[in-house]
Structures are given as C-alpha cells and as structure tokens.
Amino acid sequence: MKKFLLSTLAFLLISVSVFAQKPQKLTSNQIYEKIQKLNFLGTALYIAAHPDDENTRLISYLSNNVKARTAYLSLTRGDGGQNLIGSELRELLGVIRTQELLAARSVDGGEQMFTRANDFGYSKHPDETLEIWNEEAVLSDVVWAIRNFKPDVIINRFDHRTPGTTHGHHTASAILSVAAFDIANDSTKYSDQLKYTKTWQPKRLFHNISSRSFKSQEAFNEAAKDLISFDIGAYYALKGLSNNEIASIASSQHLSQGFGRLSTRGSQKEYVEFLKGDSLIVENDVFSGINTTWSRLKNGASIGKILKDVEDNFDFVNPSKHLSKLMLAYSMMSDLEDNHWKTIKEKQIKEIIEACAGLYIEASANSSSGTPNSKIDINFEVLNRSDVNMQLTSIVSELDSIEIFKGFNLTKNEKFTFKETFALKTNSYTDPYWLRKEASLGMYTVDDQALIGLPETPSISKITYKLIIDFIPITITKNIVRRYAERDKGEIYEPYEVLPEVTTKIKNKVLIFSDSISKNINVAIRAGIPFVQGKVSLKVPEGWRVTPAEINFNIEQKEDVQNVSFLVTPPKDPSEGKLEVIAVSKGESYTKELVEINYNHIPKQSVLLNSEAKVVRLDIQKVGNTIGYIKGAGDAVPESLRQIGYSVEIIDPININEENLLKYDAIVLGIRAYNVVDELKFKQKFLLEYVAKGGNMIVQYNTNRNVDVAAPFPLKLSRDRVTDESADVLILAEDNPLMNFPNKITNEDFNGWVQERGLYFPNIWHESYTPVLSMNDKGEHMKLGSLLIAKYGKGNYIYTGLSFFRELPAGVSGAYRLFANMLSVGKEVSK
C-alpha cells in the first residue's frame, strides 16, 4: 500500500484517505529527505502493546531528525477496545486500528509490525496477560520481529519491573521485549525461524520514561537527572513543521479511539532510561558508537561516497541531474554481501530514482476486484518526465508470471499507454491474513511464518516493470490499482483485490428468539462475477428447523445482491447454537461474508468472515414496548433490543424537550454518551424531568475523564472494573424489582459473559442509590458499583457499568434477561 510522504500538502490531505492509493509524487524537499535517510544505516524499534501506545514524538524524532529506519512493534491490533466512530468491535475494530496505525506511520515516517497476540480486553496483571496470550508464542513473535528488522536499539514504552501498576498488556510487552533482547541472537531459541532469517543482537535496550510514571513532578525531575534526554521539538524547515506537530498529526489518525487533537510546537524534552547493552559513548545519542554510515557494510564505503556527494550537492530545481550517480550507486549495490541492508537500500534508492526522473508508472484495472483464476484487463500508463535516456524493456505479471516485451524508448514527457490481459492464477484472497483461521481468546492463528508480524496481507496483484535508465537495468514493482473519478470527490485510487465469486450475509450476527414463534431470516447473496447462479442453504443446530431446505439464486451483474428468506423455527426450550450459510455454485461451496469497512481517514478494507450467526432461544419476559435510545460512542444495543421485540427509536439530543420524551417506556443512553455528546449537558434537565414524571432512564458506562453524568443524586465514576468475564457475582438486593421482574435473575444469568463483567464503575454514591450486585476480580476487594438504581420522583434512574454493549451483541442470554428487567422496572406496579 502506497502512503503519502510528509509534506505540508500531504498533511492537508491525510484526513481524507480516500486518496491513500494515489502514487507518490515527491517534491524536491521530499526527495532530498529520502536521500538523507538513504545515507543513514541505523535502525530503531519501539515496542508497546496497543495502537495508540506508541510515542509518535519519539518515532518521528528518530525517523525525521536522526534519519534512522524506525518501526513500531505493537503486540496487538487493539481488537479489545471500544470504537468511537462506528459499531465495529473485536476483529473488525482490529482491522480499523491496524489501518490507523499505518496512517500514523505514514505521517511520522515509521514502519509498523505486529505479533499474533489478540487484544482480549483489559488485564490487571501481566501474569494473566501472558497466560491468555500464550507467552511462548508471543515471545517467539517478538524475537522474529527483532531478527527480521535487525534494530540497533530497542525502546520499550513501558517498564518491565512494575507488574500490576498498569494494564497487564503494557507490562507484558516490556517483559517480552527484555527477554527477546537476550535471546534473539541465540540460535538454539526458535531455531525453526532460522530457515527464513538470521539471529541478531541489538546493541542497546532503553525504557521510554514519562513524568506520568512518578508520583509527583518533583520526583520525576530528580530521576530525570540520570536519564538520557533529547529535545523532540525540532523544527524541520523542509517540511514547514516541527517534530511535535508531526507527532500530533500522527496521533490524530487514531480516530476510533478519539485521539483527534491539536498540534503542538516548541521545545520539548523526551527521556529514555538505559537498561542493557553497550554503554553510550556520547551522552544523549542512542546510536553513539554504532557505525551508521555506509562503511558498516563490506563494499559499502564507495557507495556511500557517491550518495554523500548527491546529498551535499543536491539540486532542488532539477533533481534529475543526479540520476547518473544514483543509477551508478544502485548498480554497485548488487555487490553488497549483506542481503538485509541490500534489500532495504535498493528499495529506498528505487523510490528516489523514480522521483528524480519524474517517472510515472501505473497499472489500473477496470474494477476494484476479481476472482481466482479469472481474467483481468489492465490499462498501463508509463511516462518519463526527465531528459535521461530511458527504455521500458518488458513487464512481468506476478499473477501468472508472464513476461511481455515492450522495447519502448521513453522520451521526455511522452506518455505511453497500452492494455494487457492477465490471468489471476491464485487461490488466495486479499483479506486480512490473521482472520483466515479461527482465533483463540488470546491468539490469532497464522501458520505461514513469512506473514507473522506484517501489518496487512501483501498484495498478490503486482506488475514488475523492467527498465533501462542511463544504460543501467532496473526493476520497479507496483501494485495493480483501480483508478476512477467521482464528480463529488474527484480522482480516486483503490487497491485491486481478489475476492470470492459468491459471498453471503446475514444482517444480524445474533438472532434472538424470545419465544417459539418462527422468524423469517434474510440472506443476502452477492455476486463477485457476472452471471452467477447456484443454491443456498442454512445449516442449523439440532432441535432447530429451517424451510425450505435450499433456495436457487441467479445474479446477472457483478456486485449485485439477491435476497432470499428462510423460515427458522426454534425449539420450545432454551437453546443456542450456530446458524451457517452455505452457497454452492458450479460445484464449489462458499461460506464467507464480505464486510467492507469504509471511513474517510483510512483506505477501504475488505474483510472475509464466516457467514454465520449465533441463534439463541431465550426464556425471557418483557414489559413495555417503545424505547428511546441516545447514541454514545457506538454500540449495537439498539439492534439487540429490537431482536427481542422492542421498538427502538434513536433520539437526536438536539431535539430533546419536555414533551417528546413522554412517549417512551424507557430511555437508554449508549456507552460513553456523556463523554462524546456535548449536547447532553444542555438536555439533562429534560431527561431528569422525564424520570421524575414516572419514566425509566438507563445510563450505560462512561469513562471518568472529567465527565459529569448529571445524575439526579451525586455519584463518582472510578476506574474500577472487573475484567474476568467469569468472576463470581453476588446479588446484593435479592428483593429488588431489578432482580425479579419480569424475569427472576439468578447467578446462572451471569454464565457465558464475554471479555469482561464491566468497567468504570462508580465507587462513591449518594445514599439514594441501591447497589444491586457485587463482583470482583481474583485477589481484589468487592466492587459494588456495577449496577445502581435510585428512585427519583415517580420514576427510576439506573446507572450501570456492566458491559451490555459486548454481551447483547454476543447473544448472552442472562444479559438480555437483566436488561429487560432494567427496561421494565417500575412497571410491576401496573402489572
């Protein structure tokens, strides 16, 4: 995936990543910065646990000021967090956050890597984290990253010596990094990796310290005297931006976490603590004593001399004048014995040569996707905008390994266009590789060692161009794209993807049956090619029935959808299982759903998941019908409530007034509503009036970050949470209507919860509230604030930190029964 390089214009465009597939068009300033980076042979690896843990200030400083090759190793993809921009959770959220990390790296100049660790949610101790993750497997992935990236220095975001003081994932990332530093050079450790890579010993290991780790600023100031520091507020005149401005813009790519922020400027100190390795020779230089010039490579000094001359005498008006020396340096790189640096530097110099020549190369398909073993028509454009002698000798399709000879002389500014047809000789799809097999709670399953750690699936749609520039052969490889225009957006580039001929989809991933009445279940069938036909059927659990047994489909146009409906009948007794969709066309079975993720700040993503849904026959009663829902940070609770028969209306906070709330049997506020909906602070009086007149109001969790939930009686939010989804629950108020009407709640209703019990519980509240439940993680004190209810006027106010936003979409029966009771509270009087 091609990314924008750093420039003022690129920063203006970065928020609209619909353009992210556009080819690089480097300015002279950017070419010069690339040459500077070409002449630095040092590498730094930053290690932490999640998207947004990385210190973009330090990554940008190392990449743009020091000119080091810099990467961020995030042990997880952030799959266990919340989503402030949409309803995607778990693996789909991980796809979004992966792309947000790539967007951040495209700004700060770093690279991005991962392990197979699955972000299973908040963890209070690294021991729990490493047990769920599979410590040995994740450690092997960290060692694999070090052996492949070969960093001279490693910097940990977190402290390995303070377990239990922060997120368990955080401390675990540092523990694993320290262990990997010691064994990455040991050929007896993870020796199977050595079929693909070599051992490596980093020179130094650091811990990136901030004042937040200390009890007071005074304590930090005292400790800072013994730390390594550098000013990361450097101003880059070639960019028109300072380092901390770049870092702020990079951090702002994490929009699913609400990280949009103002940019900052000016002098700013960053601190690291030396942990182990070679002692520093020069204070405040993490690379001191490490040879970072071309002379670190055998046969490299002569290349470095040529490239240093290009850097020292760079012509910003006419960069093409350096092509002869650049091509000479490129040809000399073939003699390098160090294949690691050879690969890196050849890639870097090719980008510079292409930019200096004003060379435009494009392979564009007529659509954005094809199917395995089909034909693909490609439109080619090749343009040399320099005076240098240049020929296109041939093109090679990596799809079918066919070479087509051209023999074009690329004269200055004369565009060559032609068309070719290739075969997609592959059985692979371009979906996220880590989602192809079923994952465990703590680990993704990836069998191909070469894929482990990559941020995304490598494109299998590539064209290699064989050229002769200034009489020296060179190859440049490009991904196939789709280029088109829309009247309201302009020119758009999209990646070319390989997708199945048929995909199917059930809209709701959990199908709730609150009684034994049959339901019509809609299945959408999407064609990946024109004129597709076949049969579709549903596989249901034992005791469930479906009619008809199968339905024919016939779709003429590619990307068109045909909807069919099956009648599914549940058993009389409570039951749950999995409903699977199976489509058969031309003897092939298709069991995948295509999910498209499309936000402005990241490129469009196509994800293939199993086409299935959880089916649940609930033993549930409910009272009331019409629910008003005020959306917060994004959740699927409204859809879940509709599944059990409620009519749910989404309320626009702007339209809230004294009269229009009275029609609702209950009003529910979505997760983090007070954190993200500013209008609520002006409408709280109307909501409380609704409660006072007999209404029922449920407020789901908010974070404790300077938020006033404007409850009728004081309560204080804390960071209290219960992360063990199977933690014991004690019913404190056994006689409270919440536990008895219309469903009798018992401890069995807390079986089968997912990821956690709840989060950000209140820990201080007015005596008017009744705590209903008590729960705690192992070894901790009881927490009483997960579910509070207070009578206010004639109605009821409920605050809950229980994670219904996870449990209802997961089809947890007990969570539905308890939520139905919360919606029904107060109605038992008129039963």
Side-chain angles (χ1 to χ4, degrees), residues 203-219:
K203 297 294 191 296
R204 299 186 182 106
L205 178 65
F206 300 92
H207 168 217
N208 185 196
I209 291 183
S210 73
S211 59
R212 289 176 295 180
S213 305
F214 293 80
K215 294 182 179 179
S216 66
Q217 185 64 43
E218 291 74 18

Side-chain angles (χ1 to χ4, degrees), residues 730-740 744-745 747 771-772:
L730 176 64
I731 299 175
L732 299 174
E734 292 185 348
D735 297 330
N736 192 285
L738 279 183
M739 296 293 106
N740 295 280
K744 177 65 177 177
I745 302 299
N747 284 98
V772 180

Side-chain angles (χ1 to χ4, degrees), residues 43-261:
T43 308
L45 179 62
Y46 197 88
I47 299 180
H50 308 109
D52 85 356
D53 283 345
E54 81 274 26
N55 184 339
T56 54
R57 298 183 305 274
L58 188 49
I59 291 174
S60 179
Y61 177 85
L62 292 169
S63 178
N64 296 299
N65 191 297
V66 179
K67 305 301 181 184
R69 184 184 181 217
T70 308
Y72 173 42
L73 173 60
S74 177
L75 268 59
T76 77
R77 296 177 186 266
D79 329 75
Q82 286 86 54
N83 184 358
L84 294 183
I85 60 174
S87 60
E88 295 91 351
L89 293 174
R90 291 304 304 148
E91 67 274 0
L92 294 180
L93 178 58
V95 173
I96 292 173
R97 292 190 172 180
T98 294
Q99 291 301 316
E100 289 179 336
L101 275 173
L102 288 171
R105 298 293 78 76
S106 72
V107 173
D108 60 33
E111 299 175 37
Q112 187 61 51
M113 295 186 290
F114 295 94
T115 73
R116 291 169 291 174
N118 192 345
D119 181 1
F120 57 85
Y122 192 85
S123 174
K124 294 180 178 178
H125 199 280
D127 289 350
E128 176 199 37
T129 298
L130 294 173
E131 181 179 352
I132 294 175
W133 272 355
N134 183 339
E135 178 177 0
E136 194 68 16
V138 183
L139 176 58
S140 75
D141 289 357
V142 179
V143 170
W144 172 251
I146 292 172
R147 287 173 171 175
N148 282 319
F149 194 68
K150 302 190 185 309
D152 296 305
V153 297
I154 296 176
I155 303 174
N156 292 343
R157 182 70 181 95
F158 300 105
D159 193 344
H160 64 290
R161 300 157 295 191
T162 56
T165 60
T166 182
H167 197 321
H169 297 183
H170 292 169
T171 311
S173 70
I175 291 172
L176 294 172
S177 175
V178 172
F181 182 89
D182 292 331
I183 66 175
N185 199 36
D186 186 344
S187 61
T188 67
K189 303 294 185 182
Y190 309 114
S191 56
D192 55 321
Q193 296 179 0
L194 302 181
K195 300 173 187 175
Y196 313 97
T197 189
K198 295 181 179 180
T199 58
W200 179 255
Q201 181 56 61
K203 297 294 191 296
R204 299 186 182 106
L205 178 65
F206 300 92
H207 168 217
N208 185 196
I209 291 183
S210 73
S211 59
R212 289 176 295 180
S213 305
F214 293 80
K215 294 182 179 179
S216 66
Q217 185 64 43
E218 291 74 18
F220 173 72
N221 292 340
E222 183 63 29
K225 297 176 182 178
D226 298 321
L227 300 176
I228 301 162
S229 67
F230 18 81
D231 186 352
I232 51 83
Y235 175 68
Y236 305 129
L238 291 174
K239 301 179 188 297
L241 293 165
S242 60
N243 187 78
N244 30 19
E245 285 180 291
I246 294 170
S248 297
I249 297 168
S251 293
S252 290
Q253 304 311 303
H254 296 297
L255 295 184
S256 68
Q257 303 183 72
F259 265 51
R261 59 185 59 182

Side-chain angles (χ1 to χ4, degrees), residues 244-376:
N244 30 19
E245 285 180 291
I246 294 170
S248 297
I249 297 168
S251 293
S252 290
Q253 304 311 303
H254 296 297
L255 295 184
S256 68
Q257 303 183 72
F259 265 51
R261 59 185 59 182
L262 290 172
S263 59
T264 60
R265 288 151 291 279
S267 179
Q268 187 176 1
K269 283 291 186 70
E270 194 66 50
Y271 298 87
V272 296
E273 174 192 13
F274 174 77
L275 295 179
K276 60 172 60 180
D278 298 344
S279 299
L280 290 180
I281 296 175
V282 178
E283 186 179 358
N284 299 340
D285 179 4
V286 296
F287 284 97
S288 67
I290 300 172
N291 186 356
T292 58
T293 71
W294 277 94
S295 65
R296 81 180 286 173
L297 306 181
K298 184 179 179 180
N299 301 322
S302 54
I303 298 174
K305 183 177 180 180
I306 295 171
L307 294 176
K308 190 65 170 62
D309 180 71
V310 173
E311 179 181 343
D312 291 342
N313 298 285
F314 185 72
D315 190 332
F316 287 85
V317 176
N318 181 24
S320 65
K321 68 179 289 185
H322 303 292
L323 280 169
S324 293
K325 288 187 175 181
L326 289 169
M327 288 303 302
L328 175 60
Y330 168 75
S331 67
M332 294 169 65
M333 288 182 188
S334 62
D335 294 329
L336 294 175
E337 296 180 5
D338 189 321
N339 285 327
H340 172 73
W341 278 112
K342 178 181 177 181
T343 300
I344 293 167
K345 293 304 174 181
E346 281 186 343
K347 179 181 178 182
Q348 291 178 349
I349 200 170
K350 284 180 182 181
E351 292 177 348
I352 295 168
I353 290 168
E354 185 180 348
C356 286
L359 180 60
Y360 186 89
I361 305 175
E362 178 183 282
S364 177
N366 293 327
S367 67
S368 60
S369 67
T371 57
N373 301 310
S374 64
K375 298 290 186 179
I376 172 176

Side-chain angles (χ1 to χ4, degrees), residues 471-649:
F471 308 104
I472 296 174
I474 186 172
T475 60
I476 297 176
T477 300
K478 298 284 187 178
N479 290 336
I480 297 172
V481 298
R482 181 198 177 200
R483 180 168 66 97
Y484 64 102
E486 290 188 2
R487 295 180 65 180
D488 58 340
K489 294 180 181 178
E491 188 176 56
I492 298 173
Y493 282 75
E494 290 181 347
Y496 187 82
E497 300 172 314
V498 182
L499 300 172
E501 290 187 6
V502 179
T503 53
T504 59
K505 180 177 182 179
I506 300 176
K507 180 179 180 182
N508 294 314
K509 299 310 164 198
V510 176
L511 301 170
I512 304 296
F513 293 75
S514 57
D515 50 38
S516 58
I517 297 175
S518 303
K519 285 187 178 182
N520 284 307
I521 304 303
N522 181 269
V523 176
I525 307 160
R526 179 187 182 276
I529 58 172
F531 304 106
V532 65
Q533 58 184 354
K535 296 180 179 181
V536 63
S537 61
L538 298 184
K539 182 180 178 182
V540 295
E542 185 177 353
W544 295 68
R545 292 183 291 113
V546 59
T547 56
E550 58 185 23
I551 299 175
N552 293 328
F553 63 87
N554 190 339
I555 308 173
E556 293 186 0
Q557 291 183 301
K558 179 180 177 179
E559 299 182 2
D560 197 8
V561 174
Q562 180 179 337
N563 291 288
V564 299
S565 183
F566 293 88
L567 189 67
V568 175
T569 305
K572 292 183 179 181
D573 297 324
S575 170
E576 62 180 59
K578 184 165 61 176
L579 182 153
E580 300 172 79
V581 185
I582 303 171
V584 178
S585 177
K586 294 182 290 188
E588 292 286 331
S589 293
Y590 297 92
T591 60
K592 294 295 183 180
E593 170 193 353
L594 173 63
V595 180
E596 292 186 339
I597 300 174
N598 204 354
Y599 291 99
N600 283 340
H601 69 299
I602 58 174
K604 185 183 77 172
Q605 299 296 300
S606 294
V607 183
L608 295 174
L609 301 178
N610 290 334
S611 185
E612 61 188 29
K614 182 178 181 180
V615 288
V616 181
R617 167 67 170 94
L618 278 180
D619 177 14
I620 189 172
Q621 303 294 322
K622 69 183 186 68
V623 177
N625 180 55
T626 306
I627 308 299
Y629 201 92
I630 301 173
K631 287 186 175 181
D635 59 60
V637 172
E639 291 82 357
S640 299
L641 297 180
R642 292 184 182 110
Q643 290 241 29
I644 57 173
Y646 284 105
S647 173
V648 182
E649 297 181 9

Side-chain angles (χ1 to χ4, degrees), residues 660-809:
N660 63 9
L661 300 179
L662 298 178
K663 63 180 178 178
Y664 299 113
D665 294 307
I667 292 174
V668 182
L669 274 70
I671 61 172
R672 299 175 70 172
Y674 287 103
N675 294 119
V676 299
V677 183
D678 291 336
E679 187 69 22
L680 280 177
K681 61 187 175 186
F682 306 114
K683 302 297 184 177
Q684 187 65 16
K685 59 182 179 180
F686 299 122
L687 292 169
L688 292 182
E689 285 175 8
Y690 163 80
V691 178
K693 291 179 179 179
N696 187 10
M697 179 175 166
I698 300 168
V699 179
Q700 297 181 83
Y701 99 93
N702 289 264
T703 67
N704 62 346
R705 297 174 184 171
N706 301 317
V707 64
D708 178 11
V709 298
F713 308 105
L715 60 79
K716 183 178 180 181
L717 302 183
S718 72
R719 297 185 67 85
D720 285 353
R721 62 201 304 161
V722 176
T723 61
D724 183 355
E725 63 268 32
S726 60
D728 291 338
V729 176
L730 176 64
I731 299 175
L732 299 174
E734 292 185 348
D735 297 330
N736 192 285
L738 279 183
M739 296 293 106
N740 295 280
F741 179 82
N743 303 286
K744 177 65 177 177
I745 302 299
T746 69
N747 284 98
E748 290 186 3
D749 288 298
F750 295 96
N751 293 337
W753 285 48
V754 299
Q755 188 160 325
E756 62 196 352
R757 289 293 190 199
L759 61 171
Y760 291 99
F761 299 161
N763 63 351
I764 299 174
W765 53 82
H766 190 269
E767 61 183 9
S768 298
Y769 294 100
T770 298
V772 180
L773 303 172
S774 174
M775 59 190 68
N776 63 280
D777 283 318
K778 184 178 180 180
E780 295 188 350
H781 64 83
M782 300 294 284
K783 294 176 174 57
L784 310 181
S786 63
L787 181 58
L788 303 176
I789 182 170
K791 193 72 177 176
Y792 181 67
K794 297 179 181 180
N796 294 276
Y797 176 93
I798 298 171
Y799 187 93
T800 180
L802 294 172
S803 58
F804 289 106
F805 73 102
R806 297 195 191 280
E807 313 311 321
L808 298 186

